[in-house]
C-alpha cells in the first residue's frame, strides 16, 4: 500500500522538513508514536534511576546514601514520572502507531494537535526534573501531593503543579484526538464490534481521561491558590478540609490507575490470540467488562482513604464497590485463559510477557482485593503491602504489557525481527528479578513497615536487602531491552508483512516496516 | 506534505505546536518565579505573547483551510466530536470546584461545628453557611456575602439574552441573512462585554465594601474561584465571538458549512449553563 | 471464624510459597505475616486477612492450574492443533456469578468488623493525641496530664556512627501508658500536617487531620509494650516519629498517673519563676535539640533553601519580641510551626535564650517565662489551625 499518487496533493509551498525539524513539526502519526515511545523510554531511565536511589538507601537500616528530605523527593518524582511520564506516554505512543493502522485510517483525526499533545510532554518532563535544581530541592510531598504538607514546600512545588497542568493539557488533547479518530475515521465495514480490542480499551481509556484529568487540574489549582493566594480550600481555619483534597485527587486517581491498565488489557488481548492461533474468547464480554471496570472506577475512590475517618456507611459503600471490580476483571482473566485453552501455542517473547502479565497482574489484583477489605486495609494502608500491590499491577501489569506490545509490534515498526534469544533472556531476568524485588514487600507491609520511609527498624532489614538486590537486577536487565530495540532498528532479519503466523488484523496487511503513509484509500473490512 | 486523501484532510508539518510548547514553558516558569517573588514577570508576559502569536497563526491556518474548502463532511464531523468532548472536559473542570463547594457546605463546615471538634479545637464556633471558617472567624474576620438579586440577577439576564441573540444569529446564517448574522453576533459580544464589566464592578465592590476576598475562608475561596473561572471562560468566549464576528463581516461561513460558528456558539451556551449553576448555588441558595 | 486453626495454616503456606524464592535462609528470623494480635479486634482482622488469602490462593490455583496445564498440553511444539471456539454464554455467566458470591462471603465478616471498629461509644477513658512534625502529644483529657513523646533513638545510630539498639527507631522518651482491658478512645488531630497514628498489634490506625478531630479505639487484652509508627507522609522526619503504647495493670497505671500529675505541677511552677542565664541556656539546649534541631540542625546552620540557619539569623539576633513571636506562633504557610501550644512558657523562654546566646550568636539578652506568657494571650486563638 505505497503512497497513492492518484490523489491530489497540495503543498502550500512547504517542503517536508528534515533533521530535527522533521520531528518538531511532524504531523505523522507514526513519527509522533515513535516520539512518545522514546520519551517514555528516557523518562523510564530517569524515574528508574530514582527508584534505584530509593532502593540503595533502603538496602540497610540507617541513613547511608541520601538524607530523608532528598529521599522523599526521589519517591515523589519517581511516582509522578513513572505514572505521567512513562506509562501514560507509552500508551499514547501505542495509540498513535496502532490505532490508525488497526482501524484503517490514514492518520489521526487532528495531526497538528497530535503533535502538540506530544511536545507538551517534554516541557512537563523538563519542569519536573528542573525542580531538583531549585532552592530546597524537588517536591517531597508524595506523588499524591496531599496538603497541608504540599502547601509547606517551596518554589519547586509550584513548578510541579504547573507541570501537572501541562501534562493534563497533553492528556486531554491526546484523548480527544483518539476518541475522534476511533469514532469518525474507521474504514468502511469496521463496525464498533469489529474493532480490535486494543482500540476498544483505548477508547474507554480516553473517556476516563477526559472525565478525570480536568478534575485533577481543578485539585492542583486549588492547591496552587491555597499555597499562594490565601484561599482556604484545604485549611480548617477557613472552613476547608485537607481531606477534601484527597477526595478530589482520588476521584481522578483511581480512574487513573485504570487508565494505566486498560490499554494493557487491550495489548494482551491482541497478543494471546495470535500466539494461541485461536480467536479471542468472549470478545463481547471483554468489551462489556472493560466498560464496567471504567464505570465502576468512578465510585470507588475513597478506598485510598479508609483511615481518614469516614463514617462507617461511606467505608462500607467504598469497600463494596471496590470489591465489585474483581468481577469484570475476573471475566477478563478467565477469557484470556480460555483463549489459550485448546489453542496451538508458541512462546515467542511477546507471548511470554503476556502470560507473565496475566499471572502476575492477578497477584496484584488479589492484593488489591486484600486492600479493599476495609478492616484489613486499616492495618496495611500506607505500608509496603500497598507498595507491593501497586508495583505488581504497574510493573508486572502495565509495564510488562508495554514491553510485550513493543516486542509484538517492533517488527512492524522497524521492518526487522528482534533478537529472539536476547528477548527470552530479557524476559526471564525481568520476571525473576521483578518478583525478587516486589514479593518481599508484601511481608514487609504486613509486618508493619510504613511506606515513604527513608529508614526503618531492624526487623525489616532482610527483606529490604533482598528487594534492593532484585531492583538493581531488574533495572540493569532493562538495558538488554534497550540494546535489542536499537539493534532491531539498525538491522536484522527482514520481517514479513504478517510477521506472526497467527496474527490477524489490518496492521498485518501493510508491509513491514509500515510505510510512512498507510490507508490513504480506506481499506474495506468485510 | 499536505494531502487530501481518501477525502480526509491531513495537514502538512506545522511549527505552530512547538511554538505553543515554548509559550507554555515560558508561562509556567514565569508564573512560578513571579509568585515566588523572584522575578519572572517578563517571562510570563513573553509566554502569553508567544501563545497569542501561536493561536493567531494556528487558527489563521485552520480558517484558511476551511475557507479554501479542504474541510469535507468527515473533517467537519471530527471537529464536532472534538468540540463536544472538549466542552465535556470543561464541565468536569468546573465539577471539581462545585464539588469543593458542596463538600464544604454539606460536610466539612458542619463537622467543624460538631461537639468533639468544636470543644477541642474551635471553641465557640457556630457552623453556618456562608462562613469564613472557625479560625478566621475567631480572629475577627468578617464579611458580607454577595446578594443574588442585584448585579448577579442582571448578569443572569444578560447571559440568557446573549444565548438567545447568538441563536438568532445562527438562524440568520442558516437562511443566508447576513445582516441578521452580523447583528446577532454584535449584540452577543456586547452582552458578553457588559457581563464582564459588571463582574469586574462586583469584584471591586466585594473587595472594597464587603470584606469579601479570596481569603474569606470557604465562602470567599469558592465564590471567587467559581465566578473567576467562569469569568475567564466568558472572556475567552467573547474573544471567540469577536473572531467569528470579524469573519462574518468578511463574508466567511456559508449556510451549510460553518462549524467555526457553531463551535463558538456551543461554547457560549456552555458558559451560560455554568452561570446558571453559579447563580443558583453560589449567589442564590445561601 | 475458627481463628486458631486458620492462622498457622496460612503462615505455613506463605512460608512454603516464598521458600522457593529465597531458599537457603533461616526461616525463623523472618516475619511473613501481620504481627501477633493483642486485642479481639486485631484478631478478627488477622483472621479476615487469612480468609481472603486462602480464598485468593484457591482461585489462583484453579485458574493458573488450568492455564499452565493448557500451556503444557496445547502447545504447538507438542503438535496440538488449535480449535476455533470463541464463545460460550453459559460458561461466561457462570464465571461472572461465582466470583460475585465469593465476594459476598468475604464482605460479610468485613462489614461486621467495620461496624465494630467505628463504634467508639462508652469508652473507659479518652486520650487526645496530637501529631506534630515530628512528635506526638498525649493529652489525658479527664486527668490533666499532657506530654510530648519524641523519638529517643540517638541520631548517632541513625547516622551509623553507633551500633543500632534493639528498638532502633521504635523507642520514645515518654510512651503512652494505658491500663489493660480498658476501652481506650483516642481523639486524633494534628498541629501542622497530616500524620497517622498506628499500633499494629491493636489494629488501630487513624489519620490525624489538622483542624479536625477523628476518633478510634482499642482495648488491649494483654500487658506489654506495643510499637507503631507514623503512617502518613509528614515531611522530612516522617520515619522518625514512632508510637509506643505501654499497656500496664490498673495499679501501675494509677501510680504512673499520680507521678505524672506531680511532674506537671512542678513544670507549671517553672512558668512563673525567673531563671538565671546559665539555667536557661542548659534547658534551652535540650529543648532545641529535641524540637528544633531536626530542621535548623544541631549547630544552627539550617539547610539552605529549606530551613534558615539560626546562626546569624536576622530574627534570632534582632528584637527579642519578634523572636519569641515566631517561636510562639510559627510562620503560616511554612514548616515553621507554632510552638506556643507544644512547649511550656519556660521551655520557650529557654530555647529563645539559647538561640540568641548559643549556636554562634551572642546577643546577650535573655527571655523569661513571664515575658513569653505575656505575649501568648493573643496567640491562643490563631494557633491550632496550622496552615
Ligand atoms: C494499574 C494500576 C492498578 C490496578 C489495575 C489496581 C487494581 C486494584 N486496586 Fe489498586 N492501587 C494502585 C494501582 C492499581 N490498582 C496504586 C498505584 C495504588 C497506590 C496509590 C498510592 O497510594 O500511591 C493502589 C492502591 C489501592 C488501594 C489503597 C490501598 C491503601 O493505600 O491502603 C486499594 C484499596 O482498596 C486498591 C484496590 C485495588 C483493587 C480492588 C483493584 C482491582 O482492580 C483488582 C481486580 C483484579 C483481581 C481481583 C484479580 C483477577 C480476578 C479474578 C481472577 C477473579 C476472581 C477473584 C475473586 C473473586 C477474588 N488499590
Ligand atoms: C508505573 C509505575 C512504576 C514503575 C514502573 C515503578 C518501578 C519501580 N519502583 Fe516504584 N512507585 C510508583 C510507580 C512505579 N514504580 C509509584 C506511583 C510510587 C509511589 C510514590 C509515592 O509514594 O509518592 C512508587 C514507589 C516506590 C517505592 C516506595 C518508595 C517509598 O515509599 O518511599 C519503591 C521502593 O522500593 C519503588 C521501587 C521501584 C523499583 C525498584 C522499580 C523498578 O521496577 C524500576 C526499574 C527500572 C530502571 C532501573 C530503569 C531501567 C531503564 C533503562 C535501562 C532504560 C531503558 C530505555 C529504553 C527502553 C529506551 N517504587
Ligand atoms: Cu508524622 Cu509521618
Ligand atoms: Cu484505587
Amino acid at each position: 500500500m505505497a503512497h497513492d499518487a492518484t490523489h491530489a496533493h497540495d503543498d502550500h509551498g512547504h517542503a517536508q522538513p528534515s533533521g530535527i525539524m522533521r520531528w518538531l513539526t511532524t504531523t505523522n502519526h507514526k513519527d509522533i508514536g515513535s516520539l512518545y515511545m522514546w520519551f517514555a523510554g528516557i523518562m523510564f531511565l530517569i524515574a528508574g534511576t530514582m527508584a534505584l536511589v530509593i532502593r540503595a538507601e533502603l538496602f540497610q537500616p540507617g541513613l547511608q546514601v541520601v538524607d530523608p528530605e532528598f529521599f522523599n523527593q526521589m519517591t515523589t518524582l519517581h511516582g509522578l514520572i513513572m505514572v505521567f511520564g512513562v506509562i501514560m506516554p507509552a500508551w499514547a505512543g501505542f495509540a498513535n502507531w496502532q490505532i490508525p493502522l488497526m482501524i484503517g485510517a490514514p492518520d489521526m483525526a487532528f495531526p497538528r494537535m497530535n503533535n502538540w499533545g506530544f511536545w507538551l510532554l517534554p516541557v512537563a518532563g523538563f519542569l519536573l526534573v528542573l525542580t531538583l535544581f531549585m532552592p530546597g530541592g524537588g517536591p517531597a510531598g508524595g506523588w499524591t501531593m496531599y496538603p497541608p504538607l504540599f502547601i509547606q514546600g517551596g518554589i519547586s512545588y509550584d513548578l510541579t503543579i504547573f507541570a501537572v497542568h501541562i501534562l493534563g493539557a497533553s492528556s486531554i488533547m491526546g484523548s480527544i484526538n483518539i476518541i475522534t479518530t476511533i469514532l469518525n475515521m474507521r474504514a468502511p465495514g469496521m463496525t464498533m464490534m469489529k474493532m480490535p480490542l486494543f482500540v476498544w480499551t483505548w477508547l474507554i481509556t480516553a473517556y476516563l481521561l477526559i472525565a478525570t484529568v480536568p478534575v485533577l487540574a481543578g485539585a492542583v489549582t486549588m492547591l496552587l491558590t491555597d499555597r499562594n493566594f490565601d484561599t482556604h480550600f484545604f485549611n480548617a481555619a477557613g472552613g476547608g478540609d485537607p481531606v477534601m483534597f484527597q477526595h478530589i485527587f482520588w476521584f481522578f486517581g483511581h480512574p487513573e490507575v485504570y487508565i494505566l491498565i486498560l490499554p494493557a488489557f487491550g495489548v494482551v488481548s491482541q497478543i494471546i490470540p495470535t500466539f494461541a492461533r485461536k480467536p479471542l474468547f468472549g470478545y463481547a464480554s471483554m468489551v462489556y467488562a472493560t466498560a464496567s471496570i471504567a464505570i465502576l472506577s468512578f465510585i470507588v475512590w475513597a478506598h485510598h482513604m479508609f483511615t481518614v475517618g469516614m463514617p462507617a456507611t461511606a467505608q462500607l459503600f467504598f469497600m463494596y464497590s471496590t470489591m465489585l471490580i474483581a468481577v469484570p476483571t475476573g471475566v477478563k482473566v478467565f477469557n484470556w485463559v480460555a483463549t489459550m485453552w485448546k489453542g496451538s501455542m508458541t512462546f515467542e517473547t511477546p507471548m511470554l510477557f503476556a502470560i507473565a502479565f496475566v499471572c502476575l497482574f492477578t497477584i496484584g489484583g488479589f492484593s488489591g482485593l486484600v486492600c479493599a477489605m476495609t478492616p484489613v486495609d486499616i492495618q496495611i494502608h500506607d505500608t509496603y503491602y500497598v507498595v507491593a500491590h501497586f508495583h505488581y499491577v504497574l510493573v508486572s501489569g502495565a509495564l510488562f504489557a508495554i514491553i510485550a506490545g513493543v516486542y509484538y509490534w517492533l517488527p512492524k515498526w522497524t521492518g526487522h525481527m528482534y533478537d529472539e534469544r536476547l528477548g527470552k533472556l530479557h524476559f526471564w531476568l525481568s520476571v525473576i528479578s521483578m518478583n525478587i524485588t516486589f514479593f518481599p514487600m508484601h511481608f514487609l507491609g504486613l509486618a508493619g513497615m510504613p511506606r515513604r520511609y527513608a529508614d526503618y527498624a531492624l526487623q525489616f532489614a532482610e527483606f529490604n536487602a533482598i528487594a534492593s538486590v532484585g531492583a538493581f537486577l531488574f533495572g540493569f536487565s532493562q538495558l538488554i531491552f534497550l540494546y535489542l530495540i536499537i539493534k532491531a532498528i539498525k538491522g536484522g532479519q527482514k520481517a514479513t508483512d504478517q510477521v506472526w503466523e497467527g496474527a490477524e488484523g489490518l496492521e498485518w496487511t501493510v508491509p513491514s516496516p509500515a510505510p510512512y503513509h498507510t490507508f490513504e484509500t480506506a481499506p474495506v473490512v468485510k | 506534505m499536505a494531502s487530501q486523501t481518501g477525502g480526509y484532510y491531513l495537514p502538512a508539518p506545522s511549527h505552530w505546536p512547538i511554538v505553543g510548547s515554548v509559550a507554555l514553558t515560558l508561562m509556567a516558569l514565569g508564573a512560578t518565579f513571579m509568585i515566588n517573588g523572584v522575578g519572572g514577570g517578563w517571562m510570563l508576559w513573553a509566554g502569553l505573547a508567544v501563545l497569542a502569536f501561536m493561536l493567531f497563526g494556528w487558527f489563521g491556518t485552520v480558517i484558511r483551510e476551511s475557507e479554501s474548502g479542504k474541510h469535507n463532511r468527515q473533517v467537519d464531523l471530527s471537529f464536532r466530536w472534538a468540540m463536544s468532548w472538549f466542552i465535556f472536559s470543561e464541565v468536569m473542570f468546573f465539577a471539581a470546584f462545585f464539588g469543593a463547594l458542596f463538600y464544604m457546605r454539606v460536610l466539612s463546615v458542619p463537622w467543624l461545628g460538631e461537639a468533639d471538634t468544636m470543644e477541642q479545637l474551635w471553641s465557640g464556633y457556630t457552623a453556618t453557611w456562608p462562613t469564613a471558617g472557625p479560625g478566621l472567624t475567631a480572629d475577627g474576620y468578617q464579611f458580607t456575602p454577595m446578594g443574588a438579586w442585584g448585579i448577579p440577577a442582571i448578569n443572569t439576564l444578560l447571559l440568557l439574552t446573549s444565548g438567545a441573540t447568538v441563536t438568532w444569529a445562527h438562524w440568520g446564517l442558516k437562511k443566508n441573512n447576513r445582516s441578521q448574522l452580523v447583528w446577532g453576533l454584535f449584540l452577543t459580544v456586547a452582552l458578553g462585554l457588559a457581563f464582564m464589566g459588571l463582574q469586574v464592578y462586583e469584584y471591586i465592590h466585594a473587595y472594597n465594601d464587603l470584606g469579601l476576598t479570596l481569603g474569606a475562608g470557604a465562602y470567599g475561596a469558592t465564590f471567587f474561584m467559581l465566578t473567576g473561572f467562569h469569568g475567564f471562560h466568558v472572556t475567552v468566549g467573547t474573544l471567540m465571538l469577536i473572531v467569528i464576528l470579524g469573519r462574518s463581516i468578511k463574508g466567511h461561513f456559508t449556510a451549510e458549512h460553518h462549524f467555526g460558528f457553531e463551535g463558538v456558539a456551543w461554547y457560549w451556551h456552555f458558559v451560560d449553563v455554568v452561570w446558571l449553576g453559579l447563580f443558583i448555588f453560589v449567589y442564590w441558595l445561601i | 471464624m475458627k481463628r486458631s486453626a486458620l492462622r498457622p495454616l496460612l503462615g505455613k503456606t506463605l512460608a512454603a510459597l516464598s521458600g522457593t524464592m529465597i531458599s537457603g535462609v533461616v526461616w525463623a528470623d523472618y516475619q511473613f505475616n501481620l504481627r501477633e494480635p493483642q486485642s479481639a479486634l486485631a484478631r478478627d482482622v488477622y483472621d479476615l486477612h487469612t480468609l481472603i488469602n486462602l480464598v485468593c490462593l484457591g482461585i489462583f490455583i484453579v485458574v493458573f492450574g488450568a492455564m499452565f496445564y493448557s500451556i503444557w498440553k496445547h502447545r504447538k511444539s507438542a503438535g496440538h492443533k488449535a480449535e476455533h471456539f470463541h464463545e460460550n454464554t453459559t460458561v461466561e455467566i457462570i464465571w461472572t456469578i461465582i466470583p460475585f458470591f465469593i465476594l459476598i462471603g468475604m464482605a460479610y465478616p468485613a462489614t461486621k468488623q467495620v461496624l465494630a471498629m467505628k463504634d467508639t461509644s462508652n469508652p473507659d477513658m479518652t486520650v487526645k493525641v496530637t501529631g506534630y512534625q515530628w512528635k506526638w502529644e498525649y493529652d489525658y483529657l479527664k486527668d490533666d496530664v499532657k506530654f510530648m513523646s519524641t523519638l529517643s533513638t540517638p541520631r548517632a545510630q541513625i547516622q551509623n556512627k553507633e551500633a543500632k539498639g534493639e528498638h532502633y527507631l521504635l523507642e520514645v522518651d515518654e510512651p503512652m501508658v494505658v491500663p489493660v482491658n480498658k476501652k481506650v478512645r483516642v481523639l486524633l488531630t494534628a498541629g501542622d500536617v497530616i500524620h497517622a497514628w498506628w499500633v499494629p498489634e491493636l489494629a488501630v490506625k487513624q489519620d490525624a487531620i489538622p483542624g479536625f478531630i477523628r476518633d478510634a479505639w482499642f482495648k488491649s487484652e494483654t500487658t506489654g509494650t506495643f510499637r507503631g509508627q507514623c503512617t502518613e507522609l509528614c515531611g522530612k522526619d516522617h520515619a522518625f516519629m514512632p508510637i509506643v503504647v505501654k499497656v500496664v495493670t490498673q495499679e501501675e497505671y494509677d501510680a504512673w498517673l499520680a507521678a505524672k500529675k506531680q511532674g506537671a505541677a512542678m513544670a507549671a511552677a517553672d512558668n512563673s519563676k525567673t531563671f538565671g542565664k546559665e539555667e536557661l541556656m542548659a534547658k534551652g539546649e535540650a529543648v532545641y535539640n529535641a524540637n528544633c534541631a531536626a530542621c535548623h540542625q544541631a549547630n544552627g546552620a539550617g539547610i539552605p533553601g529549606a530551613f534558615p540557619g539560626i546562626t546569624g539569623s536576622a530574627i534570632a539576633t534582632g528584637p527579642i519580641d519578634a523572636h519569641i513571636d515566631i517561636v510562639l506562633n510559627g510562620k503560616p504557610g511554612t514548616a515553621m510551626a507554632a510552638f506556643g501550644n507544644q512547649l511550656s512558657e519556660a521551655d520557650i523562654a529557654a530555647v529563645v535564650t539559647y538561640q540568641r546566646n548559643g549556636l554562634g550568636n551572642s546577643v546577650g539578652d535573655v527571655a523569661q517565662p513571664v515575658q513569653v506568657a505575656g505575649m501568648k494571650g493573643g496567640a491562643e486563638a490563631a494557633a491550632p489551625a496550622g496552615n
Side-chain angles (χ1 to χ4, degrees), chain A residues 63 152 235 277 282 285 307-308 310 320 342-345 373 378-379 381-382 447 452-453 455 501, chain C residues 35 52 74 76 80 83 86 92 111 118 133 158 160 168 198 200 205-207 214 230-231 238 387:
Chain A
L63 296 176
Q152 280 186 352
N235 184 339
R277 293 168 179 74
S285 67
T307 65
V308 300
M310 285 182 285
Y320 298 149
K342 304 223 157 138
S344 172
M345 273 183 274
M373 313 298 295
I378 286 175
Q379 279 290 49
H381 170 67
D382 262 334
R452 296 162 168 177
Y453 262 33
D455 193 7
E501 189 187 27
Chain C
R35 285 193 225 165
I52 307 167
H74 308 143
K76 196 181 174 201
H80 195 270
E83 295 189 11
H86 56 85
E92 289 175 53
T111 305
K118 277 283 161 187
Q133 282 170 318
I158 298 173
N160 310 307
Y168 178 69
W198 181 32
K205 180 187 286 159
Q206 172 60 52
D207 290 1
R214 297 290 154 84
C230 175
T231 44
H238 168 49
N387 193 338

Side-chain angles (χ1 to χ4, degrees), chain C residues 230-265:
Chain C
C230 175
T231 44
E232 182 64 58
L233 177 58
C234 51
K236 188 163 103 5
D237 282 3
H238 168 49
F240 306 118
M241 50 181 294
I243 292 131
V244 179
V245 177
K246 233 170 111 176
V247 183
V248 297
T249 60
Q250 185 67 41
E251 298 77 57
E252 285 170 308
Y253 175 72
D254 292 337
W256 173 83
L257 201 62
K260 268 281 163 205
K261 279 185 180 163
Q262 207 173 9

Side-chain angles (χ1 to χ4, degrees), chain A residues 407-427:
Chain A
Y407 279 112
Y408 185 54
W409 282 304
L410 201 57
K412 180 58 62 188
W413 297 343
T414 64
H416 301 121
M417 298 305 286
Y418 60 85
D419 184 331
E420 188 65 52
R421 251 187 51 249
L422 279 181
K424 292 229 163 72
L425 179 70
H426 174 223
F427 168 76

Side-chain angles (χ1 to χ4, degrees), chain A residues 250 253-254 257 300-301 303-304:
Chain A
W250 288 115
H254 188 81
V257 307
V300 302
W301 75 87
H303 64 215
H304 296 271

Side-chain angles (χ1 to χ4, degrees), chain A residues 55 71 75 78 82 87 143 390-391 451-452 474-475 482:
Chain A
R55 286 315 326 167
F71 180 92
T75 299
H78 163 72
M82 279 292 189
I87 308 290
W143 84 282
F390 67 71
H391 283 94
R451 62 192 278 210
R452 296 162 168 177
F474 182 82
L482 180 60

Side-chain angles (χ1 to χ4, degrees), chain A residues 131-189:
Chain A
T131 57
L132 283 173
F133 303 95
M134 290 282 141
W143 84 282
T144 47
M145 303 182 279
Y146 285 5
L149 185 61
F150 216 77
I151 291 176
Q152 280 186 352
I155 186 166
S156 58
Y157 290 66
D158 294 316
L159 215 47
T160 307
I161 290 173
F162 287 125
V164 170
H165 278 128
I166 293 174
L167 288 163
S170 159
S171 293
I172 289 180
M173 286 184 219
S175 45
I176 288 179
N177 214 339
I178 287 168
I179 290 179
T180 308
T181 308
I182 296 174
L183 294 183
N184 196 33
M185 309 260 306
R186 277 170 287 127

